[in-house]
Amino acid sequence: MRRVLRVVGIVLGAVVVLAAICFVIVFVTSNREVDARVAAVPPPSPLGRGSVERGKHIFTAVSSCVVCHRSDGGGGPFINAPAMAVLNAPNLTRGPGGIGATYSDADYDRAIRRGVRPDGTRLLIMPSWDYVVMSDDDAASVIAYLRSLPPVDRVNPRVKLGPVGRMLIATHKLQFDATRIADEGPPPPPPPPMDKVAYGKYITRIGGCMGCHGVHLSGGHLAGPPDVPPASNLTPAGIGNWTDVQFMITLTKGKDPNGHVLNEFMPWRTIRDMSDAELEAVYAYLKTVPPRPDGQG
Ligand code: HEC
Ligand code: HEC
């Protein structure tokens, strides 16, 4: 009996030691990833002509920046899942705790379209992959709008990773957007709104739809805490039989043609403030993407 207990003790001890070693490896590796600096990435191209009004429209409606950075731009907590991460969006204004007093336009631009801070470290969770194609004029507009915001006095703690989040980073399952877009060149010129499908593709990308519904837009459990439903299939195999009107009503009222009330994680309350032309273009584009079964990213 005593021998059995001794063996069990040794096995348990070994498991604890192994677990501790794994923990240290994951901790060290994830820290190294988070602290890594990438070579100074220049802004994709010189900023274009900014319009504060256009910037406000992108910040509050098209790109839903307000969902994380709040409507005053002062940021704050937006996801509290300690096992995964405690997420705080930074204060983007020039108030105390904000980046506006020290960031140049190029610094803002590198953060937004490239996902890199001025010190070369990479932003986490901030969806720069969606914004890398943002036109020079639209990027300039967003920055002009951020600079026009009244200063907010709010110090937000940095993103704090939990054990699961660290594991995902150490194993490269959770990638930095800066790394995903490292090879992308300067953004192509923005398509004119008359070219509905191309314009819809542009709005869909900078609208962040692919960040949750997947690069191929077929949905699945791609982002967010575990209690959030999987993102829906937006390819023709999913919502393809909806009429334009049904699509518009779903996104402006938060209720789909089957009467299903959309989960609040789906940011329809900001998306609904896109212009009719923008929403129509998004649906025109969605109808052209290859159909895919649900949940295939
Ligand atoms: C899903 C939430 C989310 C959305 C949407 C989002 N951000 Fe962020 N943003 C973050 C988080 C989180 C960080 C901080 C990341 C970190 O510290 O690693 C961040 C960082 C930034 C930074 C860099 C701040 C710094 O400390 O260097 C800028 C600038 C910024 N965001 C602007 C924007 C703009 C403009 C938009 C919309 C076009 C936007 N963000 C949309 C979550 C978001
Ligand atoms: C933050 C993540 C997120 C973003 C960004 C996002 N969605 Fe969603 N979306 C979801 C989730 C999750 C659902 C499923 C909601 C539910 O089942 O209640 C959903 C549902 C939908 C639906 C309803 C489908 C149905 O069958 O009822 C439509 C339409 C939709 N999204 C379109 C879009 C478009 C267009 C964009 C970009 C402009 C977008 N979404 C951006 C997460 C997101």
Side-chain angles (χ1 to χ4, degrees), residues 80-98:
N80 188 351
M84 180 73 185
V86 178
L87 299 180
N88 290 285
N91 179 347
L92 305 178
T93 72
R94 63 199 136 87

Side-chain angles (χ1 to χ4, degrees), residues 63 65 68-69 90 92 99 103 111-112 117 123-124 126-127 131 142:
S63 297
C65 317
C68 303
H69 293 283
L92 305 178
I99 59 171
Y103 275 34
I112 297 168
R117 289 194 191 84
L123 301 171
L124 259 178
M126 160 72 186
Y131 309 142
V142 170

Side-chain angles (χ1 to χ4, degrees), residues 62 64 67 203-204 207-213 220 223 228-234 238-239 242 247 250-251 255-258 260-267 271 274 279 282 286:
V62 177
S64 299
V67 168
I203 298 293
T204 303
C209 316
M210 291 156 181
C212 290
H213 291 272
V228 169
S232 321
N233 186 350
L234 303 183
I239 61 169
W242 291 6
F247 181 79
T250 305
L251 289 187
K255 198 177 191 187
D256 79 7
N258 302 318
H260 171 70
V261 176
L262 302 187
N263 183 282
E264 288 295 325
F265 195 70
M266 159 66 197
I271 294 172
M274 284 196 206
L279 284 175
V282 167
L286 292 177

Side-chain angles (χ1 to χ4, degrees), residues 125-186:
I125 310 298
M126 160 72 186
S128 294
W129 182 86
D130 300 314
Y131 309 142
V132 69
V133 301
M134 197 181 272
S135 72
D136 297 337
D137 286 353
D138 281 349
S141 300
V142 170
I143 295 167
Y145 176 64
L146 292 176
R147 290 217 185 277
S148 79
L149 286 171
V152 175
D153 180 353
R154 195 177 301 143
V155 179
N156 302 309
R158 277 232 177 153
V159 167
K160 212 162 100 207
L161 291 168
V164 180
R166 283 181 177 280
M167 181 70 102
L168 293 177
I169 288 191
T171 55
H172 297 271
K173 293 267 184 316
L174 179 63
Q175 276 197 320
F176 291 87
D177 278 26
T179 310
R180 284 174 77 199
I181 59 185
D183 299 333
E184 297 227 14

Side-chain angles (χ1 to χ4, degrees), residues 12 26 31 71 152 232 259 280:
L12 278 182
V26 166
N31 267 1
S71 49
V152 175
S232 321
E280 281 164 14

Side-chain angles (χ1 to χ4, degrees), residues 53-78:
E53 203 185 322
R54 171 81 183 148
K56 179 177 185 185
H57 182 60
I58 294 173
F59 194 77
T60 56
V62 177
S63 297
S64 299
C65 317
V66 286
V67 168
C68 303
H69 293 283
R70 303 206 177 164
S71 49
D72 63 4
F78 67 95

